[in-house]
Amino acid sequence: MMGLEAAASLAAHAAAGSSSAEETYSYPPLGSRVRRGRDWKWGPQDKGDVGTIVSHEKGGCIRVEWDHGASNGYRWGAENARDLKVVNEPRKLLVGGSIKVGVEVKRGKDWKWNDQDGGSGNNGVVYGTDEKGWVSVRWKKNGKTNNYRYGKEGCFDVEVVPSVFEKPAAPRKQTGSHMCWQWKDKIDEKDLWRLFNEDLQKTIEAAYSKDTKGTQKVQINNTSYDVNFKKMEQKNVSSNNVRSIRRKELSQDEYELAVAIEIGQMDIK
């Protein structure tokens, strides 16, 4: 006869189809990995990083947890916009870190669920977790979902795929500061200082070194600009549009974040 604890475990497992992680099927599945997409307007919120869809929300929105730790809601249909795009970049965990939505798993030491996973050797993606030692998994081969013990009763029906783990990064040596030229952009009514590309950095710096308080003519993307270093402005010679510029010393961390923002901006154009 089956013991009460075993029966309770089977009942909880059988109820897995009604996981606490509720999904809306017109959205990408929970656990999907995303980056900023065609309609992104949220500046550096993502820090140029990859994120994981952790919940589906009403009104055409999804919640994303970025790999740097922050989370927020984004449009996936709301206002006829999609702030994100799905990417194939598996989520990583630090050695010893707790399991998270988006992490790949496989059969663990206590697996007893036959071929629910599509057969031995197949991986799944975690799309829900709870504090009671259960995880919700979607198997990649057959698309089936269920709940599995991950610490419940001291058992692990699934385990994290070894390739997911990465060692903590060694303390990074600061390589000094960077003197950079930036221009002021406006995204969703918010000011954002953007980096000129590497070639333009050199061109503008060379012009600046000739006369730090004068005006120099500079070619930017085949367009002529009058750059006024006293006012720190550049004017499009053809349209007369004016925008602010600045010469600023950035720390290594600030510089890497600025570069990451530019990579993301170029990615959606």
Side-chain angles (χ1 to χ4, degrees), residues 50-265:
V50 192
T52 304
I53 298 176
V54 294
S55 68
H56 291 164
E57 303 184 356
K58 295 180 179 179
C61 293
I62 54 182
R63 178 160 291 274
V64 172
E65 180 177 280
W66 299 105
D67 283 5
H68 56 75
S71 67
N72 218 322
Y74 298 96
R75 299 170 300 172
W76 190 274
E79 301 175 352
N80 293 317
R82 288 190 179 183
D83 293 322
L84 306 161
K85 64 180 181 181
V86 176
V87 297
N88 183 23
E89 300 181 48
R91 189 168 193 174
K92 298 291 186 179
L93 285 180
L94 292 179
V95 174
S98 59
I99 197 164
K100 296 179 181 295
V101 172
V103 167
E104 287 197 14
V105 294
K106 63 178 183 177
R107 293 184 181 187
K109 64 182 181 65
D110 300 305
W111 180 265
K112 60 177 181 179
W113 309 110
N114 299 319
D115 286 338
Q116 285 184 358
D117 56 354
S120 179
N122 292 312
N123 295 344
V125 176
V126 174
Y127 70 93
T129 65
D130 69 18
E131 298 177 354
K132 298 180 180 179
W134 292 91
V135 293
S136 301
V137 177
R138 176 182 294 102
W139 297 106
K140 298 173 74 172
K141 183 174 182 178
N142 56 24
K144 292 184 177 179
T145 61
N146 223 313
N147 290 338
Y148 299 94
R149 297 170 298 175
Y150 194 83
K152 180 70 173 178
E153 304 162 352
C155 295
F156 291 83
D157 294 325
V158 295
E159 62 183 39
V160 175
V161 174
S163 61
V164 165
F165 289 111
E166 59 184 6
K167 295 180 180 179
R172 186 182 61 199
K173 294 181 180 179
Q174 292 293 329
T175 58
S177 58
H178 299 257
M179 188 62 72
C180 298
W181 284 97
Q182 297 175 291
W183 57 278
K184 186 186 285 188
D185 196 5
K186 188 174 287 291
I187 298 179
D188 193 30
E189 303 304 317
K190 296 180 181 179
D191 291 336
L192 176 67
W193 285 100
R194 304 271 304 279
L195 281 179
F196 287 101
N197 67 42
E198 187 174 353
D199 289 338
L200 287 175
Q201 294 280 345
K202 295 175 182 178
T203 299
I204 298 172
E205 183 66 21
Y208 177 76
S209 65
K210 293 179 181 178
D211 187 353
T212 60
K213 298 297 182 182
T215 299
Q216 297 284 327
K217 194 173 295 292
V218 175
Q219 287 285 323
I220 300 177
N221 297 329
N222 297 319
T223 301
S224 293
Y225 289 85
D226 287 331
V227 180
N228 187 320
F229 293 116
K230 184 176 182 179
K231 293 182 178 181
M232 283 297 176
E233 293 178 342
Q234 67 175 46
K235 183 175 74 173
N236 186 311
V237 174
S238 298
S239 67
N240 289 322
N241 287 335
V242 176
R243 65 185 179 192
S244 298
I245 62 172
R246 70 180 183 182
R247 183 175 186 262
K248 183 176 174 62
E249 187 173 6
L250 303 180
S251 69
Q252 180 68 20
D253 286 341
E254 290 173 327
Y255 178 73
E256 289 180 2
L257 175 57
V259 170
I261 290 171
E262 291 309 309
I263 292 172
Q265 291 290 343

